[in-house]
Amino acid sequence: MPTSQTNNTMPSQSKVTGFFRQLFAKHNTEIASTQGNTPVANAVSPSPVAPTIPGINGGIQKAAALTYGQYGAQVCAAATGSNHVLPIYLQQAYNNSYNEQANNVNLQQQRTQQLVGQVSQLQITLKSYQQQIQKWTNDIETDKKEIKGYKDKITDLEESTYQTNKDAKTKLIIGLFILIPLSFYLLLFYSSTIFSAFFKDFSQSGGSLKESMFDASAISSSFSQSLFQGSFVMLAPFIFMGLGFLLHFYNEQKTWSKWLKSGSIVAITFAFDCILAYKIGSNLYHLDIIQGLLPLNSPDYSISYAVSDVNTWAVIFCGFIVYIIWGLVFDMAYTAYGELDDRKIQIKALNVKIDDAKNNINQTNINIQTRQNDCTDIQKEIASLQNQIQKGVIISIQQIKTDVNDFFAGWMQQMKILNATPGNMQDANQIYTKFVGLTFP
């Protein structure tokens, strides 16, 4: 249904009248200029055609059988396309459309019933929103009571005696049972491989893959060469243990970036193991050449050769795989240690529930505010519709605008039939545009 408005929405008469006066003053001046340049003050010139076109209170009236397009063509034909009467008949078309709606009893009854129906529907929606607001308000009170209950439970748990979590204790014992030997393994493996990769002289001491990965004298031999080398060989394995701890640390984070960080740690460790494996494989390869196991003209030890060398993969998997296992076991043991006190687990779970309840309250308050704004808008709309119903006459300004537009379309169509000049048609468009701007702001 078009937007309904009452008869107090008629355009400002002073604006339209002023518009007419300006138009006729301009037209009179033009007439005077064609009659010896003698202006006629306050005169309304007759139509330059045979039939005179009177003003609003007379002239050509719209027949009920005519459409507004036909009415516009009829008036334009009678005026032979003269634009000086166009604003008068634009206003006449406005008044006709207004009166047709105002005097149509069935239409007014129909529109009144439609408005009453809209008010009824809006009142139902308003009541539904108010009930929803009440329900949300009750939910907030329920959440507040739950938060108070959770806090009371936390207080009771904090005041209670220590309670051991048996599952966590079992995981911790098993984790330590696996973690301690693996730590010695990594200490021996990485001290041996680092010594073999960077400091061991294979040409003098000889060597094999086993001695390169598990050299019991690696630390002592490195210290015999220099304090710096010994310190490096002894402390380097702790780098890998630190990387394993970082895996646990990033795993506890709750953002998506933890996967990127953990992946970076694993990639760095794997790359370092590959370097160690490549260095050891290269040393063993050149030792085989020195010992005559390989011909002297053997190609250089390259990355492509290392990829196919079983020694390379043996070093990588004996170090990297154990490192991954060590990191997972450390994460399990550390997590189990934090869960030894059963009270802490329960308190942590209660704090999570408290945070969830607070988030629910905040979101519900936002929903309530939104619904309250909706209720305010609906109440304003109901008041506006009731005001239109009480005034008795319901006018669709959109329908009037459509009728006026149809009238002007008929006028312009007739001007084309009359072979009006482009200048006259442009003047008609300007008159219509200005009329619409004043009448339908």
Side-chain angles (χ1 to χ4, degrees), residues 242-283:
L243 292 174
F245 173 77
L246 286 177
L247 281 178
H248 160 76
F249 177 76
Y250 291 142
N251 188 51
E252 286 190 328
Q253 295 180 355
K254 296 182 179 181
T255 59
W256 66 268
S257 61
K258 72 176 184 178
W259 303 110
L260 180 62
K261 296 174 183 177
S262 299
S264 300
I265 293 297
V266 172
I268 291 171
T269 306
F270 183 76
F272 196 76
D273 280 340
C274 289
I275 294 172
L276 292 177
Y278 179 84
K279 291 286 292 181
I280 293 173
S282 177
N283 290 336

Side-chain angles (χ1 to χ4, degrees), residues 157-397:
L157 288 170
E158 290 174 342
E159 295 175 353
S160 63
T161 58
Y162 181 87
Q163 300 175 11
T164 303
N165 187 329
K166 295 181 179 180
D167 290 339
K169 183 178 180 180
T170 302
K171 290 180 181 179
L172 178 61
I173 294 174
I174 295 174
L176 291 176
F177 182 77
I178 299 174
L179 193 63
I180 293 174
L182 287 181
S183 298
F184 282 113
Y185 173 90
L186 291 177
L187 180 64
L188 175 61
F189 175 82
Y190 281 112
S191 61
S192 299
T193 53
I194 289 173
F195 175 72
S196 299
F198 298 107
F199 305 114
K200 188 175 183 177
D201 187 356
F202 284 84
S203 62
Q204 295 182 1
S205 60
S208 63
L209 178 63
K210 180 180 70 174
E211 293 175 352
S212 298
M213 292 192 300
F214 304 104
D215 188 351
S217 62
I219 295 178
S220 59
S221 298
S222 60
F223 269 111
S224 65
Q225 295 179 18
S226 72
L227 178 63
F228 174 78
Q229 289 184 13
S231 300
F232 180 75
V233 171
M234 183 179 67
L235 297 177
F238 293 98
I239 296 175
F240 295 90
M241 295 181 185
L243 292 174
F245 173 77
L246 286 177
L247 281 178
H248 160 76
F249 177 76
Y250 291 142
N251 188 51
E252 286 190 328
Q253 295 180 355
K254 296 182 179 181
T255 59
W256 66 268
S257 61
K258 72 176 184 178
W259 303 110
L260 180 62
K261 296 174 183 177
S262 299
S264 300
I265 293 297
V266 172
I268 291 171
T269 306
F270 183 76
F272 196 76
D273 280 340
C274 289
I275 294 172
L276 292 177
Y278 179 84
K279 291 286 292 181
I280 293 173
S282 177
N283 290 336
L284 292 174
Y285 180 79
H286 290 98
L287 179 62
D288 289 342
I289 295 175
I290 294 173
Q291 293 177 347
L293 299 177
L294 292 174
L296 293 175
N297 61 350
S298 297
D300 292 336
Y301 192 80
S302 61
I303 294 178
S304 60
Y305 187 91
V307 171
S308 61
D309 186 4
V310 68
N311 293 332
T312 302
W313 292 106
V315 174
I316 291 175
F317 283 104
C318 287
F320 182 73
I321 298 300
V322 175
Y323 156 79
I324 294 295
I325 296 173
W326 186 92
L328 294 175
V329 174
F330 178 84
D331 180 71
M332 181 190 72
Y334 195 91
T335 303
Y337 175 76
E339 296 175 351
L340 277 177
D341 189 351
D342 191 58
R343 296 175 304 172
K344 290 183 179 179
I345 300 175
Q346 296 182 47
I347 290 174
K348 184 178 180 180
L350 290 171
N351 282 325
V352 170
K353 291 181 178 181
I354 289 174
D355 291 339
D356 290 342
K358 288 181 178 179
N359 291 334
N360 288 337
I361 290 174
N362 292 335
Q363 184 59 49
T364 304
N365 280 326
I366 293 174
N367 294 338
I368 288 176
Q369 184 60 48
T370 302
R371 275 291 176 263
Q372 286 176 340
N373 294 337
D374 293 340
C375 289
T376 300
D377 293 340
I378 290 175
Q379 288 169 342
K380 290 179 180 179
E381 189 172 357
I382 290 175
S384 175
L385 293 175
Q386 289 177 336
N387 184 50
Q388 294 181 46
I389 294 172
Q390 291 173 358
K391 288 184 177 181
V393 178
I394 303 169
I395 301 299
S396 170
I397 295 301

